[in-house]
Amino acid sequence: MRFQSQKVAYWFFATCMLLLSLQIVYGFIMGFARIGFDGLHDYIPFNTARATHTNLLVVWLLTGFMGAAYYIIPEESDRELYSVKLAYIQLISWVVVGVIAIIGFHFNWWEGRKFLEIPRPLDYLVVVNVLTFLFNIAMTIWEAKKRSTTQLVLFFGLLCAALLYLPGMIYFDNQTLDSYFRWWVVHLWVEGVWELIMGGILAFLLIKLTGVDREVIEKWLYVVVGLTFLSGILGTGHHYYWIGTPKYWLMVGGIFSALEPLAFLGMAIWALNMYRKKGKDHPNKIALYWTLGSAMMSFIGAGFLGFAHTWPSVNQWTHGTLITAMHGHLAFWGAYAMLVLAVISYAMPNMTGRKLFTGMSGYLAFWASNIGMVGMTGALAVAGITQVYLERKLGMDFLVVQKEIVFHFIGMLLAATLFTIGITYFIVDFIRHGLPSNEAVGKNVGDID
Amino acid sequence: MLSKSQARAFFLGGTFLFGAIFVFLTIDTLRQNDTRTNAQNLTEDVLKGKEIWEKNNCMGCHTLLGEGAYYAPDLTKVVERRGVSWIDVFLDDPQAMFPGERKMVKYNFTKEEKGQVIAFLDWVGKIDANGWPPKPNIPIGSITTAAPPQSTANVVKVSQPEKFSQLCVACHAVGSKGGNVGPALDHVGSKFDVDYLNRWLIDPQVIKPGTNMPKLPLSDTERKDIVTYLSALK
């Protein structure tokens, strides 16, 4: 790490690890409920587990993005962070809001809108919090001696993510409109501005890990995020097919969704090409694994598997089935979870000065969690396709069909166990790195630049 | 080869153009919304129902218009499929209606609240959702070589009481039509006499402790009609 203030990122990453562990626990609760072991029903009914599982995902990824920004922006700006104190206040208040929300879910306190379950009063606190974060980042960039594209794309992505949170806070008494504007947040986040954040972080990691000229990497960054918006904005239409909006959304959503994989394909080709052009080897191979892995898995999970069921004539059957859960798991894992783990893998040796990336456990973490996640996705895919045929195409009763697919959920739980082993290795490594040290300031481990 | 400024122009131009189209389509969608969703039918009850729906995070298990958690059935057309009385009984004690199945929280809604939830679901079911959900399109007969199941019920002189088709068929089948949670009732009239059937419907637990059959809220006339009907199934 170059600057003292980058140390603040460590605490964001540590929070990530904690929230990710909790997310896995709630995933298991849901998995067991699906195979008939719902002993926790009276304390944690499925809807509580589900809201907690998905909200923890969003919160830990955002925490990771914030940590990444606090790490990347000072280095890209070539100066200390505007205010370290503000960053700590922001982290603590962020965690407090998150904890209150999660506890609230267990007492039937929520908004009941998929992915946006956080109750309204807490929404305002989130807004204040994110504004504080953006202010800190903006001031750092504002007072910086140099501007880089990576820095600006990352900031623009974070800013848009904050702005797009607002349409989710308007109350509509009409379910169709409620749903319409909820997707402005959910879709335009994950298939829009989050990809900008992803592009920015990926560009930073590629610059550091491959040593390819910044100008080349940043030019392609524009192309990739250009493709994202070109397809992703109107691609929102694939959520509008069956909720009561005009029929033209079928065509608009269909065509632009079909283009969405291009952005992810661009991302994967970009990352692999930059790796191919590398001048010399960076010693932190683990970080490189996660970085390239993220670019490729996001293409498979978000790009290809998304494409597999967004065409209207397919989607009319798969809409609202486990097919969506299948796509969701690999998409979030590949695009965002792996990316945050990539930043952590890259930053930890720099912050602590410990070169743990030479050991075996990093590879075990990578392969076990990835094979586990692919296994979970496969199990959900088989369950989903079975559900589509039996329930939708043949018209069998919902609960009868659910009994037919119990077996695949046993498979899913086994794959989830492997995944959890991988994540455990990652977290153990994280802890073994220890706390960031002042001696590491001014030194980066093996950067090529 | 593309220069960096051209790449930037591609990004900014594309974002602006498609963002503008998106805003334009949104305005048109809003313009058509009242007609497509029958906004004139958004009564006080429907809005209260939506509040109850959200307050209890029903979408955390169920799906509605295909959006939700895939753990419990999609409720878009539930009023059309099950009917008001069935949902009304179901909400009192969901687990009694599907014993040993996936559990639903017992919310203890008042009569009024149940009506509001049903009003909301009824309104949702009438939204013009471009033909979704589609009707099943693979006939069972086309994928099986076995003969289609024959109706085993005799021709019954007594017509099916309304309450029977609203409540009982959710679990029991007559002539292969109905649910399979409870046993088929095709020959129930030859197994049990009128008195037994009557006592059974008044309180199943008294006759057979531990049975999965729920105690249904039936008036004396309704019970009598059902018993008459069941006795004719021989």
Side-chain angles (χ1 to χ4, degrees):
Chain A
M1 113 189 111
R2 295 262 156 80
F3 300 96
Q4 180 97 19
S5 55
Q6 282 175 293
K7 275 177 11 186
V8 72
Y10 172 86
W11 297 103
F12 281 83
F13 295 153
T15 310
C16 270
M17 298 291 99
L18 206 66
L19 298 175
L20 168 60
S21 314
L22 211 54
Q23 193 206 350
I24 294 173
V25 171
Y26 279 84
F28 271 105
I29 294 175
M30 293 159 82
F32 277 111
R34 281 192 170 275
I35 61 170
F37 294 100
D38 53 354
L40 287 170
H41 174 79
D42 292 334
Y43 315 99
I44 308 175
F46 191 88
N47 57 351
T48 300
R50 153 83 190 207
T52 311
H53 183 72
T54 48
N55 280 270
L56 278 172
L57 170 73
V58 175
V59 175
W60 87 256
L61 289 177
L62 286 175
T63 312
F65 290 163
M66 288 175 183
Y70 280 132
Y71 186 87
I72 293 171
I73 294 294
E75 198 147 323
E76 286 286 300
S77 305
D78 203 17
R79 52 155 291 160
E80 295 282 357
L81 198 62
Y82 175 72
S83 166
V84 174
K85 206 169 132 195
L86 207 56
Y88 280 115
I89 294 173
Q90 192 242 322
L91 173 66
I92 293 164
S93 58
W94 177 253
V95 171
V96 169
V97 171
V99 169
I100 295 175
I102 297 298
I103 294 175
F105 291 167
H106 292 73
F107 293 93
N108 215 15
W109 190 47
W110 41 27
E111 226 172 73
R113 301 166 71 216
K114 191 178 168 189
F115 303 126
L116 302 180
E117 284 93 348
I118 295 185
R120 188 54 47 89
L122 295 183
D123 276 342
Y124 295 109
L125 294 176
V126 169
V127 171
V128 174
N129 191 286
V130 173
L131 287 177
T132 315
F133 162 73
L134 284 172
F135 172 74
N136 208 353
I137 295 294
M139 288 308 286
T140 311
I141 295 176
W142 185 254
E143 294 183 358
K145 289 182 277 295
K146 59 173 193 179
R147 300 262 183 283
S148 76
T149 302
T150 304
Q151 187 191 44
L152 293 177
V153 168
L154 183 58
F155 179 75
F156 186 55
L158 293 164
L159 177 71
C160 290
L163 290 179
L164 280 170
Y165 191 64
L166 303 177
M169 291 172 59
I170 312 166
Y171 182 80
F172 295 98
D173 53 18
N174 188 307
Q175 183 67 23
T176 298
L177 292 185
D178 194 303
S179 185
Y180 188 92
F181 286 100
R182 194 168 48 83
W183 289 116
W184 275 42
V185 189
V186 180
H187 174 94
L188 291 178
W189 264 15
V190 299
E191 283 155 79
V193 296
W194 280 27
E195 282 184 57
L196 228 64
I197 300 172
M198 181 188 178
I201 296 176
L202 209 53
F204 173 80
L205 288 172
L206 289 173
I207 290 168
K208 296 292 175 184
L209 293 170
T210 67
V212 172
D213 184 40
R214 178 182 283 278
E215 284 300 302
V216 177
I217 289 184
E218 291 184 339
K219 175 174 86 184
W220 291 109
L221 172 60
Y222 273 132
V223 175
V224 166
V225 297
L227 283 172
T228 299
F229 277 1
L230 190 124
S231 59
I233 296 175
L234 290 177
T236 317
H238 64 236
H239 300 288
Y240 295 162
Y241 297 159
W242 327 113
I243 62 166
T245 54
K247 207 152 202 157
Y248 54 70
W249 282 113
L250 268 69
M251 191 182 72
V252 175
I255 291 170
F256 285 89
S257 298
L259 294 175
E260 274 187 52
L262 280 184
F264 286 102
L265 183 65
M267 200 98 75
I269 293 175
W270 173 47
L272 288 174
N273 257 332
M274 294 304 110
Y275 171 67
R276 225 162 40 85
K277 286 187 179 168
K278 71 181 169 22
K280 56 177 175 152
D281 286 329
H282 192 284
N284 192 346
K285 283 270 181 306
I286 309 279
L288 195 67
Y289 264 59
W290 285 108
T291 306
L292 297 181
S294 168
M296 286 188 276
M297 285 299 246
S298 65
F299 170 64
I300 299 170
F304 177 73
L305 292 182
F307 175 75
H309 70 125
T310 44
W311 193 250
S313 58
V314 177
N315 189 263
Q316 63 171 333
W317 302 105
T318 60
H319 181 58
T321 66
L322 290 164
I323 293 288
T324 315
M326 172 275 293
H327 160 56
H329 275 80
L330 201 64
F332 270 99
W333 169 250
Y336 303 121
M338 285 181 77
L339 187 74
V340 170
L341 300 184
V343 177
I344 295 177
S345 303
Y346 168 76
M348 285 305 280
N350 288 341
M351 288 196 288
T352 62
R354 292 200 180 82
K355 301 177 191 174
L356 291 188
F357 47 70
T358 48
M360 193 62 206
S361 54
Y363 294 103
L364 283 172
F366 179 85
W367 287 112
S369 57
N370 268 291
I371 295 169
M373 181 52 82
V374 170
M376 283 159 77
T377 307
L380 280 170
V382 180
I385 293 166
T386 311
Q387 184 191 7
V388 167
Y389 272 87
L390 297 183
E391 187 191 328
R392 292 283 169 75
K393 302 280 266 185
L394 291 168
M396 280 167 69
D397 185 67
F398 180 87
L399 284 173
V400 175
V401 175
Q402 293 296 312
K403 283 210 187 93
E404 295 293 322
I405 56 180
V406 162
F407 178 78
H408 306 297
F409 276 93
I410 297 173
M412 174 157 178
L413 284 166
L414 289 174
T417 307
L418 183 62
F419 174 79
T420 309
I421 292 171
I423 296 299
T424 308
Y425 269 110
F426 192 94
I427 293 175
V428 168
D429 259 1
F430 183 88
I431 296 169
R432 279 172 60 220
H433 270 100
L435 296 178
S437 118
N438 281 336
E439 284 161 29
V441 174
K443 286 176 264 183
N444 265 350
V445 180
D447 274 5
I448 318 164
D449 60 357
Chain B
M1 200 60 192
L2 200 67
S3 73
K4 191 170 169 182
S5 61
Q6 283 169 326
R8 190 192 298 125
F10 167 72
F11 165 58
L12 293 174
T15 303
F16 181 78
L17 176 66
F18 290 103
I21 296 174
F22 188 58
V23 170
F24 170 77
L25 291 178
T26 297
I27 293 168
D28 186 65
T29 302
L30 291 176
R31 196 178 54 76
Q32 297 192 34
N33 187 64
D34 281 2
T35 332
R36 296 188 58 97
T37 62
N38 307 305
Q40 74 280 1
N41 297 337
L42 283 169
T43 59
E44 197 71 12
D45 275 356
V46 173
L47 300 184
K48 284 267 169 54
K50 182 170 182 274
E51 271 173 39
I52 296 170
W53 174 266
E54 285 169 1
K55 191 176 156 281
N56 296 297
N57 192 19
C58 303
M59 247 193 213
C61 293
H62 287 281
T63 58
L64 191 65
L65 294 165
E67 299 182 345
Y70 331 121
Y71 187 68
D74 187 287
L75 300 182
T76 310
K77 297 278 181 192
V78 70
V79 177
E80 186 186 310
R81 194 172 72 236
R82 295 288 197 189
V84 172
S85 349
W86 188 88
I87 302 172
D88 197 64
V89 176
F90 172 81
L91 282 174
D92 284 333
D93 192 352
Q95 285 180 44
M97 296 299 268
F98 290 104
E101 299 274 342
R102 209 164 263 189
K103 289 179 185 136
M104 171 168 156
V105 179
K106 193 174 169 181
Y107 285 106
N108 300 316
F109 293 134
T110 62
K111 181 101 194 121
E112 196 189 1
E113 286 168 333
K114 286 193 293 177
Q116 290 162 344
V117 171
I118 293 169
F120 170 64
L121 292 172
D122 188 38
W123 173 80
V124 168
K126 291 177 180 138
I127 290 174
D128 178 358
N130 293 325
W132 195 88
K135 295 259 178 292
N137 68 348
I138 301 179
I140 300 269
S142 72
I143 51 163
T144 167
T145 48
Q150 294 292 320
S151 167
T152 48
N154 294 334
V155 182
V156 179
K157 304 265 167 21
V158 188
S159 64
Q160 212 174 64
E162 201 187 333
K163 274 283 159 181
F164 187 90
S165 47
Q166 282 168 354
L167 299 177
C168 311
V169 293
C171 295
H172 297 281
V174 174
S176 317
K177 273 195 205 132
N180 56 3
V181 177
L185 299 177
D186 291 323
H187 304 290
V188 70
S190 48
K191 284 184 206 138
F192 305 108
D193 60 19
V194 174
D195 175 53
Y196 181 93
L197 289 170
N198 193 43
R199 282 188 295 128
W200 174 254
L201 284 175
I202 291 172
D203 193 349
Q205 291 297 335
V206 171
I207 313 264
K208 193 177 167 192
T211 178
N212 286 331
M213 169 84 185
K215 190 173 160 182
L216 296 168
L218 300 168
S219 72
D220 285 347
T221 335
E222 284 162 354
R223 195 175 65 247
K224 201 166 149 271
D225 287 349
I226 292 176
V227 170
T228 314
Y229 170 71
L230 290 176
S231 306
L233 295 172
K234 291 194 175 173

